[in-house]
Amino acid sequence: MTAPGSSAAFEGMYSQLIEDERTYDELNRRTDVGHSVSPVKLPPRMSGPGPYRFTTFCLAALCAILLIAIVAVTAHYKNKPQGGGAVTPEIQKQTQDVNMSALMSSVRTLQQEKTQLQKEMDELQAKLDAMMASKAPEVMKPTGAAPAPIVCPVDWHLFNNSCYFISRDSMDWPDSQSFCQSKGGHLAIIHTAEEQTFVWDLLPRGHWNAYWFGITDEYTEDKWKWVDGTPLVGGFWEVGEPNNHIDEDCGYIVKTLVLERVATRSWYDAPCMMNWPYICEKEMGTGASTATPH
């Protein structure tokens, strides 16, 4: 199919050739009738019926063929895909096959991982069931009631798991120990600064308020032991004590009106036959209670 522009060009060329032929014939006729015109040298006319017309047709046909060829080539390159040759159906099929193979491989891998995870989960569930079964009897065991708090007798004071009694009467050290034993206890054994401070705070202040507690070196001088037979480690002696001034083999605690005195420097030694108030201690089991001492 030719373009509209090419048809117009062809018709123009044809019209021009026809016009030239008419001009040539007109000049020949004028010369023949004898008009007084200047002789014009014209190229010899080719014999034969319409040689220019045949040439015109040939040229027009050639132009049409060239125009058709140009249009066809232009259309071919216009429809050609950019960036390389056209993708054929075979190449598209090969690409799709590769993508499908990769997708199927991924699906198979995921299925294998799912199977492995399911197996591990089943094993863990079995272990959990076994643990719960082994713990079930313990869970079902009835738990005992909460332990009752320690209750000290009247006039006894609780610290940790012991009750302490501060006497109002005076006795020598041996009789004081006997009295405490009669109440289920003994003269106080003090191991820590917290315990010492607690007991000392229970004592009233006075000019020289002294109280026996459970320490003595009557069996071996300067080898202080508690009434349960364990040796003293450390202690809370006043500066310069114990000094065994006059055969002083028993220990006591002093609390005076002097506010500068402190609990952790309040132990002294004295003769065991002196009469002082005393401090009893009774270790208490959980929920234990005793009668009021008399």
Side-chain angles (χ1 to χ4, degrees):
M1 179 178 181
T2 59
S6 62
S7 299
F10 172 78
E11 292 177 359
M13 292 172 61
Y14 178 77
S15 300
Q16 184 64 35
L17 291 173
I18 297 299
E19 186 65 28
D20 291 343
E21 185 177 1
R22 288 178 180 175
T23 303
Y24 187 89
D25 292 340
E26 182 66 25
L27 289 174
N28 286 336
R29 284 196 302 269
R30 288 180 182 180
T31 304
D32 293 339
V33 296
H35 288 282
S36 57
V37 295
S38 301
V40 179
K41 294 182 179 182
L42 297 173
R45 184 177 181 182
M46 297 180 63
S47 61
Y52 285 104
R53 181 169 296 181
F54 176 74
T55 303
T56 301
F57 278 115
C58 290
L59 291 174
L62 181 60
C63 291
I65 292 171
L66 291 174
L67 183 60
I68 292 171
I70 292 171
V71 171
V73 171
T74 302
H76 172 73
Y77 282 99
K78 182 176 181 181
N79 295 329
K80 186 177 182 180
Q82 300 293 327
V87 179
T88 62
E90 290 78 8
I91 295 176
Q92 291 180 350
K93 186 175 183 303
Q94 292 176 359
T95 303
Q96 292 175 354
D97 292 342
V98 171
N99 293 338
M100 181 60 68
S101 299
L103 180 60
M104 293 301 296
S105 178
S106 298
V107 170
R108 286 192 295 271
T109 301
L110 291 175
Q111 288 176 343
Q112 293 174 357
E113 293 178 354
K114 177 185 176 183
T115 302
Q116 182 64 27
L117 289 174
Q118 184 65 41
K119 181 180 178 181
E120 294 177 358
M121 187 173 69
D122 293 341
E123 292 176 354
L124 290 175
Q125 185 63 44
K127 291 180 180 179
L128 178 61
D129 293 341
M131 292 176 60
M132 293 299 294
S134 63
K135 294 291 183 181
E138 297 183 5
V139 174
M140 297 303 294
K141 288 181 181 178
T143 57
I150 295 175
V151 178
C152 292
V154 177
D155 294 333
W156 290 68
H157 307 275
L158 178 65
F159 179 80
N160 290 339
N161 293 324
S162 293
C163 295
Y164 298 85
F165 172 74
I166 310 300
S167 74
R168 297 182 178 87
D169 56 339
S170 297
M171 295 181 185
D172 59 25
W173 191 93
D175 289 341
S176 299
Q177 169 67 355
S178 296
F179 175 84
C180 294
Q181 290 175 332
S182 69
K183 301 304 178 182
H186 49 76
L187 286 174
I189 298 174
I190 301 172
H191 292 298
T192 66
E194 291 78 13
E195 185 179 10
Q196 166 67 21
T197 300
F198 172 80
V199 172
W200 196 75
D201 287 342
L202 295 176
L203 306 178
R205 289 186 178 274
H207 176 69
W208 189 261
N209 283 354
Y211 293 82
W212 292 123
F213 69 108
I215 194 171
T216 181
D217 69 344
E218 63 177 339
Y219 301 107
T220 303
E221 184 61 35
D222 207 29
K223 298 294 182 180
W224 294 88
K225 291 185 178 181
W226 296 105
V227 291
D228 62 358
T230 58
L232 170 67
V233 178
F236 305 101
W237 300 100
E238 177 62 278
V239 177
E241 297 290 333
N243 56 22
N244 196 30
H245 180 59
I246 47 174
D247 195 20
E248 299 172 334
D249 295 330
C250 292
Y252 67 99
I253 298 175
V254 171
K255 187 173 184 180
T256 70
L257 297 175
V258 179
L259 299 180
E260 288 76 9
R261 287 184 177 273
V262 294
T264 54
R265 291 200 310 271
S266 61
W267 291 5
Y268 291 80
D269 60 342
C272 297
M273 293 299 106
M274 296 183 66
N275 288 335
W276 299 115
Y278 45 91
I279 305 169
C280 293
E281 177 184 2
K282 181 191 305 187
E283 286 84 4
M284 304 291 290
T286 302
S289 178
T290 60
T292 304
H294 299 288

